[in-house]
Amino acid sequence: MVKTEVKKKRKKKSDSKKGLSHYYGKLKTYGIPALVILLAYIGFRIRDVTSNYKTFLDPDTFFHYEMYREAIHEWIPRYFAYANPPVGIKATGYLGLYTTQAIFYRVTHSLFGTSVLGAFKLWPPFVGAMTVIAIYLLGKKLHSHWAGLWAAAFMMFSYASFTKTMSGNNRGGGPFMMFFLFAVYFLLVYLDEKSWNWRKISSGILFLITSIFYMGVWTGSRFGLGILLLMAGVTIVVFFTLGMMDALRTFVRDFFSIYWVSLIISLGVSYTDFIGIRSFIIFSIEAFAALSILAAVMLYGQRFKLNYSDKKHRFGTVLAIAVVGFLAFYGYFGRDLFKFMGGAYQSNPLYQTVAELARTSWSTIVTYYSIKGKDAIMFFLSIAGFVVVLARFVMKLIKNDLTGYKEIFIVSYYLGSIYLLLSAVRFVFQASGAILLLAGVAVGEAFLFVERMKESINTKALYAIFLILLFIPIPVVGARYTDSMAHAYAKSQGSVPSDWVSTLKWLRNHSNPLDSATSWWDYGYWIESSLLSHRRAITDGGHAYDRRYLLAKFFTHYWNESEVDFEAWELNYIITYMNPLYQDSDFYKFNAISYLGGVITYGEYRNFGMLYAISRKYIHFANESGRQVVYINTPKGAAQPVMTIDMTTGKVIHGRGDIPYVLYIFQNYGVLAYRKIAFSNYVRLAFHIPFSIEPWDAQKLYANFVPVHTTFSVSVYKFRPFAVYRIDRYKNDTWVPFYSTLGGGKLPLGNQTLRLWISAFGRDVKNATLVFEAYNGTKLVDRRVLVRNLYINHLNETPVKVNLYIPNATKYRFVLFQAGPVGVLNGEPKVNGKSANPSYILAEGQSGNLKLKAAFRKNYNNVTLTLRASIVYYVTPNGKDIYKKDFYLEPHMDIIKYIRVESGLSVKAGNNTITAHARMPTNIFESYIDGLYQKYGKDKVVIVRKRIEPIFIARKEYIIWEGS
């Protein structure tokens, strides 16, 4: 009994001595994970602030929402009808993103009753919170609890992370980082376990599962595959060169086996289209096969008399194999070996104009990796963390530590991320994973330094508390700052200004469900969205890139130079967006639009603004020698523009042209338009300017594009491919104009000889029939054929002379009947029972059985199904070097041929299923392109895209004039 009491006293005394150390250990084991959960929750709440916005904060998210809705029903989307009309698009790319979100909806709906839209808005904050947990686990595995904690704290508030994981931004980059970080963590757990046990087996399985997901949710997941390939290559080279054969053998046994399984499974899954990077997976398999051969040579080369006696010989062996391997790969891939990141560079004129593809500046780094946007502290900490990792790696090599692959991973991940970061602004978020991880390592190393001190536990605790007090303001201040940014985003208009919302809802209520519309491509996803107009968009953020050149050509030119065959796209509405107060309007994008449209050179694109809004106070009128002139106050003094057009008085005042701009004066402000685009279609349509630099040009423009809806900054125009813009009456032996688009006019009664001026926009009138109709109310009282087999060259229009009797009626119409495209694809097209690309449905020389789901506005008889071969290209008169100051381009779209598939089809209004056997001739594009080369020179022609699309042709009714 006495001995028992003594033991108890000794135990209590011992417990008191180790108490602080004991609780410190408990804090690390249980307290830090609990704190990480709290950080994840705070990160979730910050990112969820923007969920109260009615739609989404990122334009691309509108498209992702439509594909996610498809995935809820189909799991893997196959087709989207609202992009690239009239044929739609085959769903490609990161389809796993939509399937993953659909799974998330099923789970949250089952557990919490979350709606389709609610789950979609919940997903990004959930991803952000899980990424906080993932980076903690990875930081702990790679360095320490403290590194993981501080990396999680930085990720919680990081602006770089917040912008891509806030509610309303549902891109694939965020889920990729989440799954990739988890995958690497599970991989490291698997590698660290040297014997087969439940931890090794379960972590290996989880690595394989998360690998499939990180590859499926983003096509940029090539980056993840590349990092792991780089890690494998560097690890075996370092281990072998330094003679760490046990470490090499263990790494090859464990890593190579599971990574082979991962690549093979992912390749198999890619055939379901869940993963959209099949070609890169195949490349990775080929590269990994080469690494496997290299590893085999390293492990077994001595059996074949290779000299591995010292580092010099081992390194020579690696170098020789690397050179041979590189030459073999280069011979296999050619220059494409260096193009895997081609999308990250400004490699063509279109990419030059995309802001997120611009090179990353230091100011951008400061903005995204600071506490409050000014200090770049997290970026600097990451550099310190990188130095720490290198030092740890050297120490592991000295100690022959078998886990050096961890530091090799961090180095590979960090350097790869910095490479991406410096390549383009779009990778600021993706680089944040490595940067924040290493920033956490830098802070975590300070805590480990304290723990390694030989001081007493109390002294260590004081130092630790000091470090916590030193660094705790970073996440506190950062979280408050990011939270304030989140609330500012939530209160803002978001990606859809109010004028656009009202315009798109008007379009939804006043147009046919099969109609299509276009504006500049940035707004295409809004047009397609089921939350807004739900109409087809000619081009959007990710589709029909070739059409952007043609739209730019229309917007930036006038007269014949601006004409594009919009009817080939079955365009119904065009929308202009003008708002000098809003940075994202076309007003401020017009440099890019003008460059892509070919109206200005690259030098002008870089050095001149196309449009400027100025206050009336900077505009001064003066009288010089009896002539009125206009001056503008500029930083270099008063200057006269080329011309001033006072829209308040209708007066035109010519100037010296001290600055190469035309000034438009409105009621409360002025607009300076660069001389080359001052009378462009966009300027006139956006600002409602009825000014013609060519006779009758404005009359023609407003005949083909009829204003139907206008708000302060957004205007909608109904497109008519053929329209009467002027009518003359033959009277007293002369032609007398009595009608024009802008001036109006009524038809005279009785027998008349008229001359109709028809504007054929971008397309000739061929074999057409011109008909006159008279109505009393809705009742047709007279109808007569005026002209048969009518032909009008759209680039050299001549008037049509007609003789007719005009009865007394309430309404009259001139109607043109001509063959034209009808109907749109409204379901997944198939060739020989397999899903097909609707914009290249059969290759040259290929044949197959087509199955098409097509929708029509009304019943048609004698419809012909054709395959239309067309090509978009541009000519570069001053050469193809896009960085030369005098570089410019001339966009073209040519329809090469219609290949008849089946004639005499009858279709009904609504959806129709049509089957037919089709055969594409050979050499259609090659011979046509050879002709272009001969016409312009091979060194001056750039082929943008070839299309082979199923198009239905029928005799259509075009109302070219309607009035009283």
Side-chain angles (χ1 to χ4, degrees):
M1 187 72 179
V2 174
K3 289 183 179 180
T4 302
E5 291 296 327
V6 171
K7 287 181 181 179
K8 287 182 179 180
K9 289 179 180 179
R10 287 177 179 175
K11 186 175 184 302
K12 288 180 180 180
K13 186 176 181 181
S14 175
D15 287 345
S16 66
K17 288 183 178 180
K18 70 175 183 179
L20 192 54
S21 174
H22 175 74
Y23 290 119
Y24 183 73
K26 291 289 186 182
L27 170 66
K28 288 174 60 177
T29 305
Y30 302 107
I32 290 180
L35 187 56
V36 169
I37 297 296
L38 177 61
L39 291 172
Y41 176 72
I42 295 171
F44 172 84
R45 290 298 301 268
I46 292 173
R47 289 159 174 79
D48 193 51
V49 168
T50 53
S51 65
N52 68 346
Y53 192 70
K54 292 182 180 178
T55 52
F56 311 119
L57 294 173
D58 176 70
D60 287 15
T61 297
F62 285 88
F63 172 72
H64 298 322
Y65 178 66
E66 301 306 318
M67 300 304 288
Y68 151 79
R69 290 174 68 232
E70 292 286 323
I72 289 174
H73 303 289
E74 300 181 13
W75 289 116
I76 298 180
R78 301 294 179 187
Y79 173 80
F80 186 59
Y82 288 84
N84 193 38
V87 295
I89 61 166
K90 179 181 179 180
T92 58
Y94 38 99
L95 303 184
L97 172 65
Y98 313 121
T99 305
T100 304
Q101 290 174 312
I103 294 171
F104 182 76
Y105 160 72
R106 296 289 188 189
V107 173
T108 56
H109 178 73
S110 175
L111 295 176
F112 311 111
T114 313
S115 67
V116 172
L117 181 58
F120 189 73
K121 288 187 174 185
L122 188 66
W123 169 252
F126 172 79
V127 167
M130 294 303 295
T131 305
V132 171
I133 296 172
I135 204 168
Y136 160 72
L137 293 173
L138 188 56
K140 183 186 73 169
K141 196 66 180 170
L142 291 169
H143 186 272
S144 64
H145 277 285
W146 293 112
L149 172 64
W150 288 102
F154 297 150
M155 183 68 76
M156 174 268 292
F157 74 85
S158 165
Y159 184 68
S161 173
F162 162 75
T163 55
K164 298 300 182 184
T165 55
M166 62 182 176
S167 183
N169 190 333
N170 290 55
R171 297 196 186 199
F176 161 77
M177 183 184 291
M178 175 186 71
F179 285 121
F180 180 68
L181 294 179
F182 274 119
V184 174
Y185 168 72
F186 293 131
L187 175 64
L188 295 179
V189 173
Y190 166 84
L191 293 176
D192 281 352
E193 295 295 325
K194 302 309 176 186
S195 61
W196 289 97
N197 53 39
W198 72 269
R199 282 177 60 84
K200 192 175 188 72
I201 294 172
S202 60
S203 59
I205 293 172
L206 289 171
F207 166 71
L208 295 175
I209 293 172
T210 50
S211 293
I212 298 303
F213 277 96
Y214 89 66
M215 292 184 214
V217 296
W218 190 49
T219 50
S221 55
R222 298 178 182 91
F223 174 63
L225 279 169
I227 291 299
L228 293 180
L229 284 173
L230 181 61
M231 169 193 171
V234 174
T235 301
I236 62 174
V237 168
V238 170
F239 285 178
F240 175 73
T241 304
L242 297 180
M244 301 171 63
M245 300 306 291
D246 290 338
L248 173 63
R249 191 172 291 106
T250 302
F251 180 78
V252 170
R253 181 197 67 196
D254 288 345
F255 180 88
F256 277 59
S257 59
I258 198 167
Y259 202 55
W260 267 120
V261 174
S262 173
L263 290 175
I264 292 170
I265 291 177
S266 64
L267 179 62
V269 174
S270 72
Y271 286 94
T272 69
D273 292 329
F274 182 90
I275 295 176
I277 56 168
R278 184 185 309 153
S279 61
F280 195 84
I281 292 175
I282 293 172
F283 164 75
S284 299
I285 289 173
E286 293 165 336
F288 200 54
L291 285 178
S292 299
I293 294 171
L294 176 60
V297 172
M298 291 173 174
L299 291 172
Y300 307 109
Q302 285 180 311
R303 298 182 183 180
F304 300 95
K305 308 301 182 182
L306 293 180
N307 186 353
Y308 292 169
S309 60
D310 54 39
K311 294 179 182 179
K312 182 178 179 180
H313 284 91
R314 290 193 295 270
F315 182 73
T317 301
V318 171
L319 184 62
I321 294 173
V323 170
V324 173
F326 175 81
L327 293 176
F329 264 76
Y330 187 80
Y332 179 67
F333 288 101
R335 293 186 178 181
D336 288 339
L337 181 62
F338 301 102
K339 293 183 180 179
F340 288 117
M341 296 303 298
Y345 302 103
Q346 297 179 12
S347 54
N348 62 46
L350 183 62
Y351 281 164
Q352 281 180 311
T353 66
V354 179
E356 67 175 12
L357 294 178
R359 297 285 183 178
T360 306
S361 65
W362 174 247
S363 62
T364 302
I365 294 174
V366 170
T367 299
Y368 284 89
Y369 295 110
S370 298
I371 302 175
K372 295 183 67 174
K374 298 178 181 179
D375 46 65
I377 190 169
M378 286 178 287
F379 185 76
F380 289 123
L381 281 173
S382 75
I383 297 174
F386 183 69
V387 174
V388 168
V389 168
L390 289 180
R392 286 168 63 91
F393 181 56
V394 172
M395 293 301 297
K396 283 191 174 183
L397 294 181
I398 294 173
K399 296 177 181 179
N400 200 30
D401 191 328
L402 301 184
T403 63
Y405 50 78
K406 293 181 181 179
E407 282 69 30
I408 292 175
F409 166 76
I410 301 179
V411 169
S412 301
Y413 188 28
Y414 185 72
L415 293 180
S417 297
I418 295 300
Y419 171 76
L420 284 184
L421 176 65
L422 298 179
S423 296
V425 173
R426 67 183 301 184
F427 295 119
V428 166
F429 163 72
Q430 215 45 248
S432 67
I435 289 173
L436 300 180
L437 181 62
L438 277 171
V441 167
V443 180
E445 186 66 20
F447 280 85
L448 288 189
F449 176 79
V450 170
E451 291 181 350
R452 289 193 294 262
M453 293 171 60
K454 296 182 179 179
E455 305 294 335
S456 68
I457 189 65
N458 291 333
T459 303
K460 290 181 181 182
L462 288 175
Y463 277 119
I465 292 171
F466 172 75
L467 286 176
I468 292 172
L469 294 176
L470 179 65
F471 287 104
I472 199 66
I474 294 178
V476 172
V477 174
R480 288 179 177 175
Y481 176 74
T482 307
D483 186 63
S484 66
M485 294 292 291
H487 280 89
Y489 279 127
K491 293 177 182 177
S492 69
Q493 294 184 13
S495 66
V496 191
S498 56
D499 278 2
W500 266 101
V501 173
S502 62
T503 295
L504 293 173
K505 290 186 175 180
W506 176 90
L507 187 64
R508 183 172 190 151
N509 295 328
H510 294 84
S511 63
N512 189 290
L514 300 182
D515 277 349
S516 65
T518 194
S519 186
W520 191 231
W521 63 269
D522 292 286
Y523 321 116
Y525 287 145
W526 299 348
I527 295 170
E528 296 163 4
S529 173
S530 60
L531 300 172
L532 296 167
S533 67
H534 210 208
R535 295 295 180 262
R536 288 160 170 80
I538 297 303
T539 182
D540 56 40
H543 312 104
Y545 281 49
D546 54 330
R547 293 178 175 177
R548 299 177 187 181
Y549 293 97
L550 285 310
L551 277 176
K553 177 181 179 179
F554 165 74
F555 274 137
T556 58
H557 288 79
Y558 62 91
W559 200 242
N560 288 346
E561 289 79 9
S562 73
E563 297 198 14
V564 175
D565 187 0
F566 283 152
E567 202 198 4
W569 307 342
E570 297 188 43
L571 177 67
N572 303 106
Y573 296 93
I574 197 159
I575 305 172
T576 62
Y577 183 26
M578 182 288 302
N579 190 344
L581 303 177
Y582 195 60
Q583 290 292 328
D584 281 339
S585 79
D586 291 340
F587 191 91
Y588 293 98
K589 295 177 181 179
F590 214 65
N591 267 51
I593 297 172
S594 300
Y595 176 52
L596 294 177
V599 76
I600 60 173
T601 65
Y602 178 69
E604 290 172 302
Y605 163 65
R606 300 293 296 179
N607 297 307
F608 290 94
M610 293 297 105
L611 295 168
Y612 292 102
I614 60 174
S615 170
R616 286 290 298 263
K617 68 181 180 180
Y618 295 111
I619 303 170
H620 302 285
F621 291 85
N623 191 299
E624 295 181 354
S625 302
R627 186 174 69 89
Q628 190 176 42
V629 295
V630 176
Y631 284 96
I632 299 170
N633 290 341
T634 73
K636 295 183 179 180
Q640 289 186 21
V642 174
M643 181 188 298
T644 298
I645 301 174
D646 191 338
M647 298 301 296
T648 63
T649 63
K651 195 171 185 179
V652 177
I653 305 169
H654 293 275
R656 286 195 309 260
D658 302 329
I659 53 175
Y661 290 88
V662 171
L663 172 65
Y664 289 99
I665 299 177
F666 298 95
Q667 192 67 40
N668 299 315
Y669 64 99
V671 170
L672 283 173
Y674 190 61
R675 59 184 178 83
K676 288 187 177 181
I677 56 90
F679 307 106
S680 63
N681 291 337
Y682 170 79
V683 170
R684 291 184 294 171
L685 292 176
F687 290 95
H688 309 284
I689 298 172
F691 187 86
S692 291
I693 194 169
E694 295 284 347
W696 294 95
D697 178 37
Q699 304 283 350
K700 294 176 63 176
L701 177 66
Y702 283 97
N704 292 120
F705 298 90
V706 182
V708 290
H709 182 75
T710 299
T711 63
F712 169 73
S713 61
V714 182
S715 298
V716 182
Y717 293 87
K718 175 79 172 179
F719 172 62
R720 300 191 299 177
F722 310 111
V724 173
Y725 66 92
R726 171 183 169 186
I727 306 177
D728 302 339
R729 176 186 182 189
Y730 193 71
K731 184 177 181 180
N732 299 327
D733 298 327
T734 187
W735 290 104
V736 180
F738 70 87
Y739 170 84
S740 67
T741 304
L742 298 173
K746 294 186 176 183
L747 287 179
L749 301 180
N751 290 310
Q752 302 293 336
T753 299
L754 304 179
R755 192 164 62 176
L756 307 181
W757 298 78
I758 300 174
S759 175
F761 193 89
R763 182 184 174 205
D764 294 343
V765 175
K766 291 183 179 179
N767 300 321
T769 299
L770 180 62
V771 172
F772 170 74
E773 296 177 346
Y775 292 84
N776 276 327
T778 58
K779 181 180 179 181
L780 177 66
V781 296
D782 191 18
R783 186 180 189 275
R784 62 192 67 194
V785 175
L786 302 178
V787 182
R788 298 184 187 276
N789 300 318
L790 178 63
Y791 172 79
I792 299 175
N793 184 331
H794 76 280
L795 296 177
N796 187 24
E797 297 157 351
T798 55
V800 179
K801 182 180 176 181
V802 297
N803 295 299
L804 74 160
Y805 176 79
I806 302 174
N808 192 4
T810 58
K811 184 175 69 174
Y812 308 99
R813 299 198 313 184
F814 289 107
V815 184
L816 200 67
F817 290 88
Q818 170 174 306
V822 296
V824 296
L825 293 192
N826 206 31
E828 179 187 12
K830 294 186 177 181
V831 176
N832 296 328
K834 297 181 179 179
S835 177
N837 178 1
S839 58
Y840 204 86
I841 197 159
L842 282 178
E844 292 176 272
Q846 183 183 359
S847 63
N849 295 315
L850 307 183
K851 184 177 181 181
L852 308 174
K853 181 180 178 182
F856 299 86
R857 299 165 189 270
K858 62 180 185 178
N859 298 341
Y860 285 100
N861 293 316
N862 199 24
V863 176
T864 300
L865 170 60
T866 69
L867 297 181
R868 183 175 67 197
S870 63
I871 188 171
V872 174
Y873 62 95
Y874 59 79
V875 180
T876 60
N878 294 334
K880 294 181 180 179
D881 185 351
I882 63 175
Y883 293 103
K884 287 178 61 178
K885 288 184 178 180
D886 64 348
F887 172 85
Y888 77 99
L889 56 87
E890 299 171 351
H892 297 269
M893 179 183 72
D894 296 349
I895 294 176
I896 300 174
K897 190 174 184 179
Y898 285 91
I899 296 93
R900 187 186 300 268
V901 175
E902 188 164 331
S903 302
L905 296 172
S906 294
V907 298
K908 67 181 190 310
N911 289 321
N912 298 255
T913 300
I914 296 168
T915 58
H917 182 78
R919 179 182 296 276
M920 272 297 296
T922 59
N923 201 32
I924 287 181
F925 289 112
E926 184 178 353
S927 58
Y928 193 83
I929 291 171
D930 286 342
L932 295 177
Y933 290 159
Q934 292 176 15
K935 181 178 180 180
Y936 298 108
K938 188 173 183 178
D939 61 335
K940 295 180 179 179
V941 175
V942 176
I943 306 301
V944 179
R945 189 176 184 188
K946 305 171 187 175
R947 289 171 174 259
I948 298 175
E949 301 165 304
I951 301 296
F952 297 92
I953 304 294
R955 195 162 179 81
K956 291 176 65 175
E957 175 186 276
Y958 301 88
I959 300 172
I960 62 174
W961 185 88
E962 190 169 25
S964 56

